Amino acid sequence: SLRRKQALVIPPAEPPSTVAPHLQETPADTPMPDTEVSEITGKINDIGKLEAHVHYEFRGDEELLLRSVFRRVPQANWQRVVENVNSGLGGDITNLKVSDPAATREAFTMSYDVSKVNFLDWSKKKTEIALPLVQFNLPDVDADDTDADADPMKLGPKAEYSYNIQLQLPSKYTGHAPLAFSLKRDYAEYLATYKIDGGVFTAGRKLTLHQDELPVSRASDYESFRRAVGADLSQRLSVESAVAGTP
């Protein structure tokens, strides 16, 4: 990262400047808030095939990375880039739309439709479904490092990550939503909501990082927070049918 680093500032030669070249610390934060929004709307049919629309919106570090990638890769190969983003789900991608990588005044967005066979195993009475395309990530730390002189733990940029999904379940299936969960610290907070209404499962997960680093004395508390968030991210949607193997 180039944040909080000493950089050499050289004033322009024309017009002449009274300011001499000097070292200056780079800003600690990004020019705009770091945000990542993921939205998925889909439907599972009676034989377990998922048809969904996926939309992403990025600002900050991830935006910079993606803009760089899409500017470097020929547009004819953008489909392959998005297939890599979608690799956690898989399936066939169509109707791909990517915003202009050079239009930096607006958030970087991409959306597509995805079709995935056997997303739900209809041959079983009960199936556990992992929520697709969740990309939250909290860095590991060494909770046993108590050296008072150690550098602060780097958590990444101050950021807000949100994930929302709406999924229409097959009519013959009954769904059981995961338990809602929330956890708050001064440096970060996490909220997860889940519900099923009229055969439609909806979920929202939101992770907010208020600080980009912590003293090593907070390592144990942070590790507890990270594990609790990880436990919720591993919760699954449970669906069951009265009779197995009858699509």
Side-chain angles (χ1 to χ4, degrees):
S1 171
L2 296 178
R3 299 196 183 100
R4 290 180 178 169
K5 297 293 194 306
Q6 292 293 309
L8 178 62
V9 178
I10 302 177
E14 295 294 338
S17 173
T18 59
V19 179
H22 62 282
L23 291 175
Q24 183 172 319
E25 187 175 275
T26 58
D29 299 321
T30 54
M32 73 286 294
D34 239 58
T35 59
E36 179 178 326
V37 178
S38 307
E39 296 178 344
I40 303 170
T41 304
K43 180 179 181 179
I44 307 173
N45 68 14
D46 288 338
I47 57 173
K49 183 179 181 179
L50 171 69
E51 299 281 357
H53 179 73
V54 180
H55 176 80
Y56 290 108
E57 184 173 305
F58 302 92
R59 266 308 201 189
D61 284 1
E62 191 74 12
E63 172 194 13
L64 178 62
L65 174 63
L66 288 168
R67 287 187 189 279
S68 175
V69 169
F70 280 98
R71 292 191 70 172
R72 186 171 62 250
V73 174
Q75 188 168 351
N77 295 330
W78 282 6
Q79 178 93 5
R80 295 182 183 177
V81 175
V82 176
E83 285 173 353
N84 186 59
V85 173
N86 188 69
S87 61
L89 173 60
D92 298 321
I93 291 175
T94 56
N95 196 29
L96 173 63
K97 296 179 181 178
V98 178
S99 63
D100 183 356
T104 57
R105 292 184 179 274
E106 305 294 333
F108 182 75
T109 64
M110 62 182 180
S111 64
Y112 56 89
D113 296 328
V114 60
S115 176
K116 169 71 173 180
V117 297
N118 297 322
F119 179 75
L120 184 156
D121 188 350
W122 57 266
S123 67
K124 297 180 180 179
K125 281 189 176 183
K126 187 174 182 178
T127 302
E128 301 283 328
I129 300 176
L131 303 194
L133 303 176
V134 178
Q135 301 186 39
F136 293 177
N137 183 41
L138 286 167
D140 292 331
V141 298
D142 183 0
D144 296 325
D145 188 353
T146 58
D147 185 354
D149 296 326
D151 291 336
M153 301 179 299
K154 304 298 183 182
L155 306 184
K158 300 172 186 176
E160 182 176 288
Y161 307 95
S162 64
Y163 170 91
N164 296 283
I165 185 170
Q166 184 179 87
L167 203 56
Q168 175 73 54
L169 303 177
S171 57
K172 69 173 184 175
Y173 280 87
T174 300
H176 303 282
L179 297 175
F181 175 76
S182 65
L183 187 61
K184 188 173 183 178
R185 296 286 189 270
D186 59 320
Y187 52 84
E189 56 187 290
Y190 177 78
L191 173 67
T193 59
Y194 309 97
K195 73 173 183 178
I196 295 177
D197 185 13
V200 177
F201 169 70
T202 58
R205 289 169 171 169
K206 185 176 181 180
L207 173 66
T208 305
L209 296 177
H210 299 300
Q211 299 180 30
D212 56 2
E213 63 181 29
L214 281 177
V216 293
S217 60
R218 303 288 304 277
S220 179
D221 180 75
Y222 168 76
E223 182 62 15
S224 296
F225 179 88
R226 190 186 70 84
R227 289 179 179 177
V229 171
D232 179 76
L233 293 176
S234 67
Q235 287 203 90
R236 298 186 173 214
L237 168 64
S238 176
V239 295
E240 58 182 323
S241 173
V243 181
T246 56

